Amino acid sequence: MMEAHKPDREMSASGSVSTVSREDNLVVSSEDSSSPDDSELELGLELSLGGGGFKQQATSGGHYARILTAKDFPSVVSSSSSLSSSSSSLSKTNHVTAGTKRSADSVAAAANATSQVVGWPPIRNSRINCTVVNQAKSIANEEYNSVIEKNKRKNTVLEKITNSCNNGGNAKGRTSLFVKVNMDGIPIGRKVDLNAHSCYETLAQTLEDMFHRPTTTVNAFRSSLQEHDIRVEATRPSKLLDGTSDFVLTYEDKEGDWMLVGDVPWGMFLISVKRLRIMRTSEANGLAPRLQESSWRQRNKPV
Amino acid sequence: MESYSKRKRECPSSPESTQPSSFPDEVLERVLALLTSHKDRSSVSLVCKDWYNAERWSRTRVFIGNCYSVSPEILARRFPNIRCVILKGKPRFSDFNLVPHNWGADIHAWLVAFANNYPFLEELRLKRMAVNDESLEFLALNFPNFKVLSLLSCDGFSTDGLAAITTHCKNLTELDIHENGVEDRSGNWLSCFPESFTSLEVLNYANLSSEVNFDALERLVSRCKSLKVLKVNKSISLEQLQRLLVRAPQLVELGTGTFVQELTPRQCAELESAFNNCKNIHTLSGLWEATVLHLPALYPACSNLTFLNLSYAALQSGELAKLLAHCPRLQRLWVLDTVEDKGLEAVGSNCPLLEELRVFPADPFDEEIIHGVTEAGFLAVSFGCRRLHYVLYFCRQMTNAAVATIVQNCPDFTHFRLCIMNPGQPDYLTNEPMDEAFGAVVRTCTKLQRLSVSGLLTDLTFEYIGNYAKNLEVLSVAFAGSSDWGMQCVLGGCSKLRKLEIRDCPFGNLALLSGLEKYESMRSLWMSACKLTMSGCRRLAREMPRLNVEVMKEDGSDDGHADKVYVYRTVAGPRRDAPPSVLTL
């Protein structure tokens, strides 16, 4: 049997997939990893493979895999302690898990990948490296409505045209630029269409709405937004994340570096962004020195 | 045929030959020299001693499917006149990182033997071999007649090694280095072709990423009038592509660079005109980031297209449909699953001559993706493309009924490789195992040579395979089966089986040992993450001395467990170059 410290070899000899390195896969602690996607379990709550491909019970002798949904977790919380208790309840069931999402860039170093299954699906490395490049550009958008717009951006070389589509409609445009967004402390990632925005402000607002973060302080914004260090708070209650610290918006660029959002012109940002992360300010050391100061200010604000 | 090296006659008389040969040996050799098929040659060599000799003297091309099945010395002793060697090394699962990195299959010892015995070697085609720069340099310096180098899925070398080849191989006609683990230090290797060098016919460096010096490339293309195959890498822009095409309208196979760029209308027209002049293109690939903007430039060149490789271009269904409308003669198509079922419907409508389809997943590791292709797309293709006989299909859902219909529509499948990406997933409509799907495949497709199974499968699948797949040569199994019986059925029933590769299945020693007699008639067996133990493997090794039984242990696994097992027949005995993590029993 494989031991827990080898997260890339989860497969037991019996052929059933089991979550051996539960800790690596399920703990949603951003303190440990610099690339949270590698160790966070992303749950696609809107998954529906045309008719519930994943509804199954552990029939006798049936040991097939399925993707964990929110039902498997007693409650979706952000603290790692409650997740590890839910993970141990998981281990008791015979349900198997398929593929913790593994970030496509880590695939090339499959030996270090935290994916559950090495070498599956069986695709050669040279092919995988190319699909990383295409990833942001090629993900179609059936699960979202989109609007016809001609999207001409000054700093980019591509002119993309979107078509409108209704729910489940099949006219697809090419201009959606969906990137993943993770927020520290939230196991479920989201996706946002960057091409639906033309500036940082609307993007930040959208992300706030997505993650219900009325107290997000998007300190990363520079220049014209400096006066907005402290966002005017809507009086929306925060459902999921009470009393957590302030956040900044960061992105991973094509070279794999994590950068503060807002430094470069919007068009340049679109070309180089691979994914976003709403990072705890305390994590954002080195990204901008003044952040520590403002987070200190935030902590000392009356609640 | 060129003149043979002086040979010494071997002892002509032997107890086996009952009659003297009715031909003089030279005539027999001339006749046998015309035989090209490896299988034919093997048969010929078994007829009698004279024919064996004539065959060995006349053979110039040798194919070795497993580099450890024979040694360079044995090869050189038997075949004195080899000009072309095709050599395959690591087990196929090394493509998916299942084989330890230092496992072996190093080409160097072979090259040294070739330098001694085949100094006039012209052609070397390697697959899954470990090749380093030193070896490439050795190759470049020791074979003055060297013409063809093809490396596929090899690793261990850098672009410096390529530079040695391009610098020294004055007679090179083919340099094909796609899909390798190359350390890409720079594009200088291309500039090392001397200005006097004009013999190149094939150049494929599509998977390298460094930029080459474009002027050098352009000059190279200009002066190599026999250039037939040109596959550049992503760093070549559309504008540069146009300039290359203008210099090489005779191209038969083209791999473009990145297919998107801001172009003026005049540049667009020039590009289209360049494609218009390339009427001989029958294979097209590359096309990174191709979009609806620039694909139309291709259309004039597509009328004779038989192989279109779009597996690096994330096209949508509409774009694909428009493109396919211009490719009436298409026989082979590779796409990404971004085209979705609708795109595959377009395939079914536009490509009646299609024989091969490969659908790769654009985003294989992201379970959030709920699109890609489904059984509907495959069905649509099967209704429209009745000649389909090769399929590789990655999908996230499939049904037994769909597969049954598909093989009814296309009963001539020789290669059926279905990958339902979620391991052990059942028929998504009925929740049943996918046994009946593969049962239908093996019952209906009597010519089936290669099969990859996936989804939730019980032993019944393997019963079907053993009972019906009588022409099956290669079988790949993952996350399937219920017990040893499954594997026993396959070993017992598939008389033509050559390669069996298994991962993560509940097959143990009983199954392994049931194939004792069989493995010598096969090239190899791979089993990883199954239920094998060291004692079972040792028993196999003991009973079958002409097999090499290799066990690769993982760190931290318990001692009795045989994590990865590779069994292959060999006349060369146990290999001496195995790293410590690989035990030959």
Side-chain angles (χ1 to χ4, degrees):
Chain A
M1 292 294 286
M2 298 296 114
E3 289 183 27
H5 72 268
K6 282 291 247 184
D8 59 325
R9 286 290 285 125
E10 310 289 325
M11 312 313 296
S12 70
S14 65
S16 63
V17 184
S18 57
T19 49
V20 176
S21 62
R22 296 169 277 281
E23 299 75 35
D24 286 344
N25 294 334
L26 299 178
V27 166
V28 185
S29 155
S30 59
E31 287 90 296
D32 297 336
S33 69
S34 55
S35 49
D37 276 359
D38 286 344
S39 55
E40 284 178 19
L41 184 67
E42 283 195 11
L43 308 178
L45 290 180
E46 62 267 61
L47 271 181
S48 57
L49 272 176
F54 294 98
K55 57 170 184 288
Q56 78 312 342
Q57 311 305 322
T59 59
S60 59
H63 42 236
Y64 42 81
R66 68 181 176 85
I67 292 179
L68 296 178
T69 65
K71 294 194 203 76
D72 295 298
F73 294 95
S75 61
V76 178
V77 291
S78 58
S79 63
S80 24
S81 54
S82 42
L83 260 180
S84 35
S85 65
S86 67
S87 71
S88 55
S89 72
L90 257 186
S91 67
K92 290 191 191 105
T93 70
N94 284 326
H95 288 305
V96 295
T97 62
T100 299
K101 184 215 77 66
R102 87 173 143 171
S103 132
D105 1 86
S106 68
V107 166
N112 303 321
T114 56
S115 72
Q116 292 208 351
V117 188
V118 170
W120 189 266
I123 299 166
R124 285 193 190 158
N125 288 333
S126 51
R127 229 169 246 299
I128 291 165
N129 293 334
C130 276
T131 56
V132 170
V133 170
N134 278 326
Q135 188 182 21
K137 294 194 167 65
S138 72
I139 303 301
N141 58 338
E142 299 95 309
E143 68 244 64
Y144 300 92
N145 289 332
S146 68
V147 201
I148 294 181
E149 61 179 335
K150 197 138 175 115
N151 203 339
K152 219 172 171 64
R153 283 167 308 195
K154 304 167 198 115
N155 294 319
T156 61
V157 293
L158 297 176
E159 195 169 58
K160 298 174 176 175
I161 301 153
T162 38
N163 300 314
S164 72
C165 54
N166 38 22
N167 265 330
N170 38 25
K172 294 174 213 26
R174 278 218 80 228
T175 63
S176 299
L177 183 55
F178 280 99
V179 296
K180 294 192 178 126
V181 190
N182 286 85
M183 180 161 177
D184 289 358
I186 297 185
I188 305 166
R190 301 296 303 269
K191 274 201 166 149
V192 64
D193 179 3
L194 294 181
N195 282 348
H197 300 275
S198 51
C199 64
Y200 291 114
E201 290 92 328
T202 56
L203 173 64
Q205 188 64 60
T206 301
L207 291 177
E208 273 197 18
D209 292 344
M210 251 186 201
F211 288 94
H212 297 299
R213 290 291 303 133
T215 58
T216 298
T217 306
V218 195
N219 280 330
F221 286 14
R222 305 285 180 80
S223 61
S224 61
L225 299 178
Q226 275 179 7
E227 65 272 27
H228 296 296
D229 276 355
I230 299 163
R231 281 221 165 260
V232 174
E233 294 168 10
T235 49
R236 262 171 317 190
S238 161
K239 291 193 171 61
L240 290 175
L241 304 157
D242 283 321
T244 49
S245 53
D246 287 340
F247 292 79
V248 291
L249 183 58
T250 64
Y251 72 100
E252 186 183 15
D253 70 6
K254 287 206 152 80
E255 273 124 40
D257 300 319
W258 286 92
M259 318 288 286
L260 280 178
V261 166
D263 287 344
V264 299
W266 176 255
M268 199 183 296
F269 165 71
L270 284 180
I271 299 174
S272 50
V273 63
K274 275 198 328 201
R275 55 183 167 160
L276 298 169
R277 176 179 163 193
I278 302 173
M279 192 187 289
R280 291 201 177 93
T281 312
S282 53
E283 294 302 307
N285 293 328
L287 286 183
R290 52 186 286 281
L291 267 132
Q292 274 116 25
E293 189 197 21
S294 47
S295 70
W296 180 89
R297 286 206 315 271
Q298 286 304 308
R299 272 195 284 277
N300 288 283
K301 241 179 52 181
V303 172
Chain B
M1 304 292 299
E2 284 118 8
S3 57
Y4 300 122
S5 51
K6 279 276 185 211
R7 61 172 203 258
K8 306 181 218 12
R9 293 296 307 276
E10 295 208 350
C11 172
S13 65
S14 76
E16 287 97 291
S17 59
T18 51
Q19 325 173 344
S21 172
S22 37
F23 295 127
D25 292 316
E26 283 86 356
V27 176
L28 187 56
E29 280 174 32
R30 290 273 154 161
V31 168
L32 295 182
L34 299 170
L35 279 180
T36 47
S37 143
H38 300 293
K39 283 189 181 149
D40 287 345
R41 282 188 162 270
S42 295
S43 309
V44 154
S45 65
L46 294 172
V47 168
C48 67
K49 193 93 174 159
D50 285 339
W51 281 51
Y52 175 87
N53 279 326
E55 195 279 315
R56 59 183 275 264
W57 282 102
S58 65
R59 191 189 291 222
T60 57
R61 303 175 68 88
V62 69
F63 167 79
I64 299 168
N66 173 2
C67 64
Y68 287 118
S69 62
V70 71
S71 73
E73 294 76 31
I74 295 174
L75 181 73
R77 262 204 310 274
R78 179 168 170 190
F79 298 116
N81 282 318
I82 297 295
R83 309 270 160 164
C84 163
V85 177
I86 304 168
L87 201 48
K88 294 188 182 180
K90 301 180 195 178
R92 191 176 79 97
F93 279 175
S94 74
D95 285 350
F96 318 126
N97 304 313
L98 287 180
V99 175
H101 205 64
N102 57 350
W103 179 82
D106 194 315
I107 189 62
H108 204 81
W110 291 87
L111 290 178
V112 170
F114 293 159
N116 289 332
N117 296 289
Y118 308 136
F120 295 112
L121 188 72
E122 293 175 4
E123 185 174 336
L124 193 60
R125 296 184 184 270
L126 305 180
K127 187 169 184 182
R128 296 193 195 100
M129 299 289 295
V131 180
N132 63 24
D133 287 346
E134 195 195 320
S135 300
L136 288 176
E137 196 176 344
F138 184 87
L139 176 63
L141 294 173
N142 285 284
F143 300 92
N145 245 15
F146 196 69
K147 295 199 168 96
V148 171
L149 180 63
S150 167
L151 301 176
L152 178 58
S153 289
C154 297
D155 61 7
F157 62 102
S158 79
T159 44
D160 292 350
L162 292 181
I165 298 284
T166 56
T167 305
H168 299 290
C169 297
K170 307 265 179 284
N171 294 310
L172 202 67
T173 61
E174 178 171 338
L175 181 61
D176 184 335
I177 38 168
H178 78 302
E179 294 212 20
N180 294 292
V182 187
E183 192 195 327
D184 198 333
R185 293 184 187 158
S186 85
N188 285 340
W189 57 272
L190 186 107
S191 309
C192 293
F193 281 118
E195 289 297 319
S196 56
F197 172 77
T198 58
S199 49
L200 202 62
E201 297 171 22
V202 174
L203 177 63
N204 179 352
Y205 69 100
N207 279 96
L208 294 183
S209 45
S210 299
E211 246 182 271
V212 300
N213 179 314
F214 182 71
D215 285 336
L217 177 62
E218 198 176 1
R219 283 198 308 273
L220 179 70
V221 169
S222 293
R223 64 180 187 266
C224 294
K225 304 287 181 214
S226 307
L227 192 69
K228 288 276 180 292
V229 175
L230 178 64
K231 298 185 183 179
V232 298
N233 71 357
K234 285 194 279 237
S235 68
I236 295 289
S237 70
L238 275 179
E239 196 191 331
Q240 291 172 326
L241 178 69
Q242 186 266 337
R243 285 161 63 179
L244 294 174
L245 287 178
V246 157
R247 307 212 182 297
Q250 77 282 3
L251 284 180
V252 153
E253 293 186 24
L254 172 67
T256 73
T258 299
F259 217 74
V260 72
Q261 188 180 0
E262 243 175 43
L263 293 180
T264 67
R266 187 177 64 87
Q267 284 172 317
C268 283
E270 280 175 356
L271 182 66
E272 200 169 328
S273 153
F275 274 111
N276 198 27
N277 282 333
C278 294
K279 287 298 187 196
N280 297 313
I281 292 181
H282 62 59
T283 293
L284 194 55
S285 59
L287 299 168
W288 284 276
E289 300 183 46
T291 70
V292 67
L293 284 178
H294 295 296
L295 279 174
L298 279 182
Y299 296 165
C302 292
S303 42
N304 290 322
L305 212 56
T306 57
F307 178 19
L308 181 55
N309 180 353
L310 297 170
S311 60
Y312 293 103
L315 294 190
Q316 310 275 304
S317 55
E319 294 163 326
L320 178 66
K322 289 204 191 87
L323 176 55
L324 290 180
H326 292 87
C327 308
R329 296 215 172 83
L330 209 58
Q331 292 170 12
R332 299 171 66 198
L333 177 63
W334 296 14
V335 290
L336 282 177
D337 65 359
T338 51
V339 303
E340 301 194 356
D341 291 332
K342 192 139 195 295
L344 294 181
E345 283 168 37
V347 174
S349 316
N350 286 294
C351 307
L353 301 179
L354 197 72
E355 297 177 15
E356 174 179 329
L357 175 68
R358 301 195 196 196
V359 182
F360 296 96
D363 219 350
F365 305 111
D366 191 340
E367 281 89 32
E368 283 176 33
I369 299 301
I370 61 170
H371 26 259
V373 293
T374 71
E375 76 280 9
F378 199 171
L379 272 167
V381 175
S382 75
F383 278 110
C385 310
R386 298 296 173 127
R387 297 192 194 185
L388 198 64
H389 69 82
Y390 191 122
V391 78
L392 169 61
Y393 200 81
F394 284 85
C395 59
R396 289 183 171 87
Q397 66 187 52
M398 189 51 63
T399 67
N400 289 308
V403 175
T405 308
I406 287 162
V407 294
Q408 242 180 353
N409 291 337
C410 305
D412 297 327
F413 273 114
T414 55
H415 297 69
F416 194 92
R417 302 164 65 189
L418 176 62
C419 182
I420 303 167
M421 288 193 271
N422 208 0
Q425 183 175 308
D427 178 322
Y428 81 98
L429 286 180
T430 66
N431 250 347
E432 284 169 10
M434 296 296 296
D435 296 332
E436 294 308 317
F438 294 104
V441 171
V442 294
R443 267 195 299 270
T444 316
C445 306
T446 52
K447 301 184 206 151
L448 196 69
Q449 293 167 21
R450 182 170 179 187
L451 179 64
S452 301
V453 298
S454 59
L456 175 65
L457 300 175
T458 71
D459 283 343
L460 186 55
T461 296
F462 302 102
E463 280 183 34
Y464 288 144
I465 294 175
N467 282 332
Y468 294 102
K470 293 305 179 186
N471 284 318
L472 193 65
E473 299 180 21
V474 180
L475 178 63
S476 304
V477 186
F479 308 104
S482 334
S483 75
D484 286 326
W485 173 240
M487 185 170 161
Q488 287 174 284
C489 288
V490 170
L491 290 172
C494 298
S495 43
K496 293 199 185 169
L497 197 64
R498 289 189 297 112
K499 287 192 283 187
L500 180 56
E501 41 185 35
I502 300 174
R503 63 167 293 179
D504 296 280
C505 295
F507 304 140
N509 294 337
L510 185 63
L512 178 74
L513 295 169
S514 71
L516 272 186
E517 315 298 311
K518 180 120 182 114
Y519 301 132
E520 275 188 10
S521 66
M522 289 169 55
R523 185 189 295 174
S524 64
L525 165 73
W526 168 279
M527 289 179 73
S528 60
C530 295
K531 284 180 158 175
L532 299 178
T533 69
M534 293 300 291
S535 61
C537 296
R538 283 200 191 93
R539 170 132 174 246
L540 175 62
R542 251 197 328 270
E543 311 246 348
M544 307 296 297
R546 281 197 299 248
L547 298 177
N548 275 356
V549 179
E550 296 188 7
V551 177
M552 287 152 264
K553 306 273 298 161
E554 303 261 311
D555 301 329
S557 76
D558 80 68
D559 282 335
H561 190 245
D563 309 309
K564 295 176 179 168
V565 178
Y566 186 49
V567 179
Y568 55 91
R569 65 179 174 194
T570 179
V571 295
R575 61 181 175 115
R576 280 171 288 253
D577 62 350
S581 59
V582 177
L583 311 165
T584 306
L585 300 179

